[in-house]
Amino acid sequence: MSNPDELLVAISAAVESERSNQMSLTVVVGGAVITGRLAPEAVWRERVAEVLKDSDRLGPFSDVFTRGQRGNRSGRGEEPTHLHFHLARILQGSLGIPETGGMYRVAIKDVSAWTVGDLSYFDR
């Protein structure tokens, strides 16, 4: 989408202002289906930094996620530009990758379709 969907921006702003991670969302970005729960950007950054910090090889990159945190932008009148997913999966056939869920950052302007809810696939 060249112009971000206003409703999707409003959902993201509500997640940021409430600091909640209970909003489930499924989006299509570049043909990929990503499903999971939204998190406020600051919470998402903290969690990614924690995971990286625990890695011997990737530990030095954790600072990138904690430096210059933007925090809650809704109080400053800025609209969110990205969705921050946690416990998210890229759906491929009957698989969700990764199975346990990952951390994804998606530009709102790149979302071509979306729905409320977390999609699950079951192989019958």
Side-chain angles (χ1 to χ4, degrees), residues 67-118:
R67 266 185 286 165
Q69 285 194 22
R70 295 163 86 160
N72 184 352
R73 291 180 281 169
S74 61
R76 296 195 307 253
E78 294 179 42
E79 290 185 337
T81 57
H82 290 78
L83 301 170
H84 296 87
F85 284 93
H86 72 115
L87 301 175
R89 297 172 319 281
I90 296 174
L91 299 181
Q92 178 67 40
S94 61
L95 293 175
I97 306 166
E99 283 185 27
T100 57
M103 306 289 285
Y104 296 101
R105 176 177 162 111
V106 175
I108 294 172
K109 68 178 181 59
D110 293 337
V111 174
S112 59
W114 61 275
T115 189
V116 172
D118 186 353

Side-chain angles (χ1 to χ4, degrees), residues 37-51:
R37 281 196 268 161
L38 295 178
E41 181 177 355
V43 172
W44 183 87
R45 284 175 172 255
E46 285 173 22
R47 181 64 186 126
V48 172
E50 287 171 9
V51 170

Side-chain angles (χ1 to χ4, degrees), residues 21-73:
N21 63 0
Q22 299 303 306
M23 181 61 179
S24 295
L25 195 71
T26 299
V27 297
V28 177
V29 180
V33 177
I34 301 173
T35 189
R37 281 196 268 161
L38 295 178
E41 181 177 355
V43 172
W44 183 87
R45 284 175 172 255
E46 285 173 22
R47 181 64 186 126
V48 172
E50 287 171 9
V51 170
L52 292 175
K53 195 177 292 185
D54 290 341
S55 168
D56 292 335
R57 293 179 305 149
L58 301 176
F61 291 98
S62 68
D63 290 343
V64 171
F65 290 88
T66 56
R67 266 185 286 165
Q69 285 194 22
R70 295 163 86 160
N72 184 352
R73 291 180 281 169

Side-chain angles (χ1 to χ4, degrees), residues 94 121-124:
S94 61
Y121 277 48
F122 298 100
D123 193 16
R124 295 179 191 221

